[in-house]
Amino acid sequence: EVQLVESGGGLVEPGGSLRLSCAASGFTFRLNYMSWVRQAPGKGLEWVSAISPGDNAYYVDSVKGRFTISRDNNNNTVYLQMNSLKQEDTALYYCATLTSFSSVDIRRSMPPSPRLGYRGQGTQVTVSS
């Protein structure tokens, strides 16, 4: 059974930092693209970042230079370091496997749903003063 368990969300002031973690099990983690997607209140699902099995990282323009995705294949965990957080980063953040991937999707902010495989329950990030 595939499981993705996110943690690390919380309430933070603008300009602050959080580190999200996603513990994966039930599949060959090291061979899979992994991603972080988010859903803000009243909005659709959107890309945040993706990472290839070979550690190539991809980001949506709105988080470039502020967020860093990484993976630990020994511990089957993917991370999202989020710095300089803004109120517009407030959302439910999901870790997800990808059934396929194109960097064009992230560059053009295409809806991620067609690419998503398994998804966790999410961790809430709230940026507010």
Side-chain angles (χ1 to χ4, degrees), residues 11-19 66-67 81-87 89 125-128:
L11 173 63
V12 64
E13 292 186 348
S17 298
L18 285 172
R19 188 193 196 203
R66 300 189 297 122
F67 291 10
Q81 177 67 43
M82 305 187 296
N83 298 329
S84 302
L85 282 160
K86 305 176 181 180
Q87 287 187 332
D89 295 317
V125 171
T126 303
V127 185
S128 175

Side-chain angles (χ1 to χ4, degrees), residues 32-35 49-53 55-58 69-71 78:
N32 276 264
Y33 276 84
M34 297 297 298
S35 69
S49 182
I51 188 166
S52 74
D55 281 344
N56 293 313
Y58 307 87
I69 191 171
S70 61
R71 64 191 300 159
V78 61

Side-chain angles (χ1 to χ4, degrees), residues 14-113:
S17 298
L18 285 172
R19 188 193 196 203
L20 306 184
S21 300
C22 172
S25 61
F27 64 100
T28 309
F29 178 82
R30 62 183 174 83
L31 298 180
N32 276 264
Y33 276 84
M34 297 297 298
S35 69
W36 288 96
V37 296
R38 66 187 180 186
Q39 188 164 20
K43 296 188 177 180
L45 207 59
E46 66 171 357
W47 288 105
V48 177
S49 182
I51 188 166
S52 74
D55 281 344
N56 293 313
Y58 307 87
Y59 301 94
V60 69
D61 282 349
S62 60
V63 308
K64 277 182 182 176
R66 300 189 297 122
F67 291 10
T68 303
I69 191 171
S70 61
R71 64 191 300 159
D72 180 348
N73 290 336
N74 290 324
N75 291 302
N76 290 356
T77 303
V78 61
Y79 302 98
L80 186 69
Q81 177 67 43
M82 305 187 296
N83 298 329
S84 302
L85 282 160
K86 305 176 181 180
Q87 287 187 332
E88 51 263 44
D89 295 317
T90 295
L92 188 59
Y93 283 70
Y94 298 96
C95 167
T97 64
L98 299 177
T99 58
S100 61
F101 179 73
S102 168
S103 60
V104 172
D105 284 4
I106 288 186
R107 287 203 306 270
R108 295 184 178 177
S109 298
M110 302 294 288
S113 294

